[in-house]
Amino acid sequence: MPRTAPHFPMSSIELQAREHTSSSASAPAVDDDPPPTRAYQALLLLSGFMMILHIIGINSVFGIFQGTIGSGLTWSGGIFVNPLITRFKSVKLVTFAGAAIMSLGLLLASYCNALWQLFLTQALMYGLGSSMYYFPIMSIAPTYFDRHRGFAMGIILSGAGIGGLIMAPVLQILLDRYGIRPALRILAGWNFAVSIPVSAVIRRRASATGARQSTGLNMALVKRGTFVYQAMGAFLQAAGNVIPLYYMTSYSTSVLAYPRSTASLLLSLNSAVNSIARILMGVLADTAGRQNTIVISAFLSALSVFALWYSAPRARFIAFVVMYGIYAGGYNALVPTTITEIYGVENYARVNGAVYFVRGMGSLMGAPVAGALLGSHARGGATVGMVDLRGLKARFEHVVLYDGVLLLLAGMCMAYVRWLDARDKGVWRWKA
């Protein structure tokens, strides 16, 4: 007999939602939005890639910017930006306004003389502006792709690793040659110049907009419990994800006694691997299932932390730098595609904004708690005594365990979301 997938009994809530969806579907659909051309899809991918490249590239330069606050606002601001996207007819306007505010924050920061002024410009203005610049593209791009959605979002989000590779050396050259104030002004001008063509490309699909009204109740009724665990997983993963990025260089110099140039090279290696992984994991997700791939990525991220970073000597630490870049890159690239898979394209913008708000809160929590566990320490192997080094290794082991537990719990949440989604849909599919 042929093997059949298990079916789940439908709850009364799901029956109501499906009846609502069926009655809505009986009405004739009006779709005046033609299928996107390959040329526009390619242009959208390039625009999204460039937007990610310089937002994440700037966020990754923590030495100058109020990094934790500014980058946290980039993600958490989505809960305010997404209502703007639905309220304004032109998403180009929201995107361009965000880029202008972001650039203005960098420009005004170059004239600051007090910490509170930097807080208002580099942190608040930059963070809110980058959120308005980020979310319109990330909310709209998945609606233009179907079969190859994972691959498309992998290409867009691969700009994160490339941005980290480019921005750090470029900014260092600007600082060495011109100083911090001219460097900020150059960065503001470049950011604004890039944003003009990027903003011009963005347009909302009429079909996705119209579908939102007819099926929104389905998500509200059926997916409420699923979203709770999705948000929990997003919070935990974001908190765990930032810890290696913050402390990879510190571990390299303080525990492994690498010179700073080698530590920077390892961080660049992680960024390069991360970018490639986002594309390849997107391709794998389109074949093996997007939810399957993100669950596996979450668990393998945790495994790489426990197995490769804990009390790691040099060779094993380099393996960790590479493997964590692969698995963490896969998870980060697949968040938008799994949201679309679970909640539908018509609900993507709202759910994506809420999930990234939670991720922003998680990113604000992860590194400070890890810093409290680690405490203050001298950097560089030559300045750390044997007794101090043992204590530092022990404190880093606590940080690694904390990070691994966060990522493991995130994987468990995503696995449960996978099961809940199958239950809500009434059938288990191995490819999902």
Side-chain angles (χ1 to χ4, degrees):
M1 293 180 65
R3 186 178 176 184
T4 59
H7 287 258
F8 296 89
M10 288 189 293
S11 65
S12 59
I13 292 178
E14 185 181 7
L15 286 170
Q16 294 174 35
R18 290 195 173 189
E19 288 171 5
H20 171 82
T21 304
S22 299
S23 62
S24 298
S26 63
V30 179
D31 186 3
D32 56 357
D33 191 28
T37 64
R38 291 287 179 89
Y40 180 75
Q41 287 178 320
L43 196 58
L44 186 62
L45 290 180
L46 178 60
S47 298
F49 176 87
M50 290 302 299
M51 179 273 297
I52 291 289
L53 184 147
H54 64 273
I55 285 183
I56 306 302
I58 294 172
N59 282 355
S60 67
V61 187
F62 298 116
I64 290 181
F65 301 102
Q66 302 289 326
T68 302
I69 299 173
S71 61
L73 282 174
T74 301
W75 318 133
S76 59
I79 200 167
F80 308 107
V81 173
N82 276 285
L84 287 178
I85 297 173
T86 57
R87 189 168 300 172
F88 283 85
K89 186 175 181 180
S90 173
V91 289
K92 290 182 175 67
L93 180 62
V94 177
T95 306
F96 183 73
I101 294 170
M102 175 185 176
S103 302
L104 185 61
L106 295 173
L107 178 63
L108 293 177
S110 70
Y111 296 97
C112 291
N113 297 305
L115 183 61
W116 66 268
Q117 295 170 340
L118 290 175
F119 177 79
L120 290 176
T121 55
Q122 284 183 353
L124 292 181
M125 286 187 68
Y126 168 83
L128 293 174
S130 63
S131 186
M132 292 173 65
Y133 186 31
Y134 177 89
F135 277 101
I137 297 178
M138 293 302 295
S139 298
I140 288 168
T143 67
Y144 281 92
F145 301 91
D146 187 12
R147 284 180 53 202
H148 303 294
R149 186 176 291 140
F151 172 68
M153 298 308 295
I155 287 182
I156 290 175
L157 290 165
S158 68
I162 302 299
L165 277 173
I166 293 173
M167 287 304 302
V170 167
L171 192 60
Q172 192 61 54
I173 292 171
L174 292 175
L175 288 172
D176 293 341
R177 184 169 299 181
Y178 303 110
I180 186 169
R181 294 181 187 274
L184 282 169
R185 291 163 195 163
I186 293 170
L187 194 59
W190 173 75
N191 186 76
F192 187 72
V194 171
S195 71
I196 295 173
V198 168
S199 302
V201 170
I202 309 305
R203 66 171 184 258
R204 183 185 285 114
R205 289 201 74 180
S207 55
T209 305
R212 181 178 303 157
Q213 301 300 325
S214 62
T215 58
L217 182 61
N218 190 20
M219 189 275 290
L221 291 175
V222 179
K223 298 291 188 180
R224 190 176 301 161
T226 306
F227 175 77
V228 170
Y229 287 97
Q230 176 121 29
M232 191 184 306
F235 179 90
L236 293 167
Q237 195 277 338
N241 183 59
V242 300
I243 293 172
L245 302 180
Y246 272 75
Y247 294 104
M248 200 177 286
T249 302
S250 179
Y251 187 87
S252 300
T253 57
S254 300
V255 176
L256 301 180
Y258 277 123
R260 287 186 179 277
S261 58
T262 304
S264 298
L265 184 62
L266 289 175
L267 191 59
S268 297
L269 174 63
N270 178 266
S271 295
V273 170
N274 190 283
S275 288
I276 297 170
R278 289 176 187 240
I279 299 174
L280 295 181
M281 284 291 190
V283 174
L284 177 63
D286 289 334
T287 304
R290 292 149 190 165
Q291 294 184 63
N292 293 339
T293 308
I294 198 171
V295 170
I296 292 171
S297 295
F299 279 121
L300 290 179
S301 295
L303 180 62
S304 69
V305 169
F306 285 128
L308 298 176
W309 192 11
Y310 186 85
S311 194
R314 286 186 170 188
R316 184 146 51 88
F317 183 71
I318 293 173
F320 165 71
V321 168
V322 173
M323 300 310 294
Y324 185 78
I326 293 173
Y327 301 134
Y331 183 98
N332 294 329
L334 293 172
V335 171
T337 61
T338 53
I339 290 173
T340 308
E341 183 98 4
I342 295 171
Y343 304 96
V345 173
E346 64 278 0
N347 296 305
Y348 170 77
R350 287 180 293 173
V351 178
N352 187 60
V355 166
Y356 271 90
F357 172 79
V358 173
R359 279 176 66 82
M361 295 298 100
S363 68
L364 291 173
M365 183 203 80
V369 174
L373 291 173
L374 185 60
S376 60
H377 61 279
R379 299 187 179 221
T383 61
V384 181
M386 185 61 66
V387 176
D388 290 338
L389 183 59
R390 288 175 183 166
L392 181 59
K393 282 184 177 179
R395 295 198 299 274
F396 258 111
E397 288 170 0
H398 296 156
V399 170
V400 171
L401 290 175
Y402 165 64
D403 186 35
V405 168
L406 287 174
L407 295 172
L408 180 62
L409 291 174
M412 294 171 66
C413 287
M414 293 308 301
Y416 191 50
V417 166
R418 168 79 169 89
W419 184 86
L420 288 174
D421 180 57
R423 185 203 65 180
D424 294 340
K425 292 174 179 174
V427 61
W428 176 272
R429 293 184 177 87
W430 292 106
K431 178 184 176 181

